[in-house]
């Protein structure tokens, strides 16, 4: 029996995030698409904002997307509530910080 020891490369979630942040900082064009009801997108977005302080960059991206979609906004809207993913991510981060602070007392 022969055993071949082949090195494996493991990619961690942190590695993926670091590469994404580096790409965004290098002005690599990206499309940000938020998943539907069955996709857990809010918590990872909140984590990305907190961990890498990408708020200003993502706010600019979302503002540019809103501007481009403005002519068809009426066609896209299914409910009369605004889609504010970054505000929701900020609220989630605040709630998690408050919950963490409660655990310290």
């Amino acid at each position: 029996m022969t055993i071949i020891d082949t090195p494996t490369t493991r990619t961690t979630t942190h590695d993926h995030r670091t590469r994404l942040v580096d790409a965004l900082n290098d002005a690599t064009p990206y499309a940000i698409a938020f998943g539907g009801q069955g996709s857990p997108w809010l918590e990872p977005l909140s984590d990305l904002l907190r961990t890498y302080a990408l708020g200003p960059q993502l706010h600019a991206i979302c503002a540019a997307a809103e501007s481009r979609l403005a002519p068809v906004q009426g066609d896209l809207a299914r409910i009369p509530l605004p889609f504010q993913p970054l505000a929701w991510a900020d609220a989630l981060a605040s709630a998690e910080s408050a919950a963490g602070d409660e655990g310290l007392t």
Side-chain angles (χ1 to χ4, degrees):
M1 178 169 149
T2 303
I3 299 175
I4 300 172
D5 185 21
T6 56
T8 58
T9 302
R10 297 195 70 194
T11 303
T12 65
T13 302
H14 177 72
D15 294 337
H16 289 295
R17 290 179 183 163
T18 302
R19 286 185 288 198
L20 174 61
V21 171
D22 290 342
L24 289 172
N25 286 332
D26 290 339
T28 300
Y30 269 88
I32 297 180
F34 297 100
Q37 293 173 332
S39 175
W41 58 270
L42 185 57
E43 190 171 317
L45 176 63
S46 179
D47 184 44
L48 187 66
L49 287 166
R50 276 193 326 271
T51 304
Y52 297 103
L54 291 176
Q57 294 93 329
L58 291 179
H59 280 282
I61 290 169
C62 286
E66 287 177 11
S67 176
R68 288 184 179 179
L69 293 173
V72 294
Q73 185 60 37
D75 296 331
L76 297 175
R78 297 287 181 216
I79 58 173
L81 300 174
F83 181 65
Q84 300 174 327
L86 299 179
W88 300 337
D90 289 341
L92 179 61
S94 295
E96 288 175 352
S97 293
D101 291 343
E102 288 176 8
L104 296 176
T105 56

